[in-house]
Amino acid sequence: MAADPTSSSPLRPGTIAVTAGRPEKTPDAPLNVPITMASTYVAGGDVEYGRYGNPTWTALEDALGALEGGRCLTFSSGLAAASTVLDLVGADGKVVAPRHAYTGTIMQLADLESRGRLRAELVDITDTEAVVAACADAALVWLESPTNPALEIADIATITAAAHEAGAYVVVDNTFATPLLQRPLEDGVDLVLHSATKYLAGHSDVQMGAIVTRDDDLHAVLKGRRDLVGAIPGPFEAWLTLRGLRTLHLRVERAQANAQELVRRLAEHPALSEVRYPGFGAIVSIVLSQGEVAGDLLSRKTRLWVHATSLGGVESTLERRRRWKAEAATIPAGLVRLSVGVEDVEDLWEDLRAALDGCVG
Ligand SMILES: *Cc1c(COP(=O)(O)O)cnc(C)c1O
């Protein structure tokens, strides 16, 4: 008989991705958790009602919690999770956030600020000294690392220490890195946020969010908010995300290897003035020397790479970020964000190179 996995050495992430959140191994038990479609449960138990819990969510929460090293709550989208985190900030509290964070996060902050709910201070996340100074009177420090789409890296441990000294919570949006490449709870961060829509689900067919924390009180507060506001995932979405999570390590490994190879080859291309890559993950931002027009041309010229927003799917996608009005003006007009998928890298390169060749001068 196999050893009890809880009594031996801790399992490695690839094994956790495959094994966590499974039904108990009893004769004839299914290997996978079923999709429980239920708005209500027989009275007298711990759940009672569909907004308060669902066994399919629980399986996913167990698996993602195990990967991040904390307790997980799932939400209807990444931004529903973000809204729940921002709800922790008291009246007129200050939130420090990266100026190049996900645009939806920036827009939520701007909306809440315009209605007098909180104050937001947007910072250059690479300027650790300035971020630490901004933490002094903060209630919440929002980190995203790498940032979207500038791909800047924050010094998470140093900023977290400064934030905690000020009594502020720290949240890291870990969507780009995934728990395989970065586990912020190990750096003392209070909350990890995911748009599960991206790498965790991984197939561009689900919208979901998640928050993971090690703090039981915070977990209870966030669960209370989810119960009350109802930003809950659908059981089918939770099942699909859990199914996607089973291959997260394979997808991330392949997509990252593809990205690293493409970055090497792109460095030489005459159509580009810059290739931004933080050294890990599968998001690459390229800046076309000829700016906006060349960026739009590139988006139309690829055959394999799909012109689409979002990221983290098995298929490679690209988009010029400034086509969105909400994108920061400090992002170059000719910046095209590549979400590198798991196709054969030679096919990805041939398609991208041919399209880029048509964008020179
Ligand atoms: C997509 C995304 C979000 C928002 O997630 P949704 O599931 O679309 O609501 C938040 N943060 C990052 C970094 C994202 O890429």
Side-chain angles (χ1 to χ4, degrees), residues 271 288 290-303 307 318 320 336 352 354-361:
L288 285 104
Q290 304 295 317
E292 180 176 335
V293 175
D296 286 338
L297 189 62
L298 176 68
S299 312
R300 286 199 305 274
K301 273 188 178 271
T302 56
R303 290 158 186 272
H307 184 210
L318 82 178
R320 190 176 70 81
V336 172
L352 190 59
L356 277 170
D357 287 349
C359 299
V360 182

Side-chain angles (χ1 to χ4, degrees), residues 262 265-266 268-271 298 301-302 305 345-360:
L262 291 175
R265 298 184 188 187
L266 285 166
E268 310 290 320
H269 203 283
L298 176 68
K301 273 188 178 271
T302 56
W305 294 74
V345 71
E346 297 301 335
D347 292 325
L348 289 178
W349 170 244
E350 280 169 23
D351 186 44
L352 190 59
R353 196 210 49 218
L356 277 170
D357 287 349
C359 299
V360 182

Side-chain angles (χ1 to χ4, degrees), residues 60-229:
L60 170 61
E61 289 168 351
D62 286 351
L64 183 51
L67 279 173
E68 284 287 5
R71 292 177 71 192
C72 175
L73 287 164
T74 49
F75 291 82
S76 50
S77 69
L79 281 187
S83 164
T84 307
V85 170
L86 291 176
D87 239 356
L88 293 170
V89 179
D92 205 35
K94 181 174 132 181
V95 180
V96 175
R99 62 182 173 150
H100 294 148
Y102 178 71
T103 48
T105 305
I106 299 281
M107 285 160 77
Q108 272 197 19
L109 284 168
D111 173 65
L112 291 168
E113 185 163 42
S114 75
R115 292 187 287 114
R117 253 286 282 118
L118 49 72
R119 288 170 292 135
E121 182 175 344
L122 301 184
V123 292
D124 172 356
I125 210 67
T126 63
D127 186 348
T128 305
E129 222 171 286
V131 179
V132 164
C135 287
D137 57 344
L140 174 72
V141 177
W142 190 287
L143 296 179
E144 192 179 293
S145 184
T147 56
N148 174 22
L151 302 178
E152 301 141 324
I153 298 292
D155 181 344
I156 294 175
T158 303
I159 295 168
T160 298
H164 283 170
E165 207 156 301
Y169 289 126
V170 180
V171 58
V172 171
D173 183 334
N174 208 26
T175 300
F176 273 36
T178 82
L180 298 175
L181 303 178
Q182 174 167 282
R183 274 182 294 283
L185 296 177
E186 292 173 3
D187 283 326
V189 162
D190 304 286
L191 301 152
V192 166
L193 182 136
H194 278 283
S195 170
T197 310
K198 313 294 167 54
Y199 288 102
L200 301 183
H203 295 73
S204 308
D205 52 10
V206 173
Q207 201 118 36
M208 254 193 77
I211 304 172
V212 192
T213 180
R214 283 181 175 173
D215 181 326
D216 289 339
D217 294 337
L218 266 179
H219 180 272
V221 170
L222 296 168
K223 166 80 165 70
R225 295 301 304 167
R226 188 180 67 176
D227 288 352
L228 200 59
V229 176

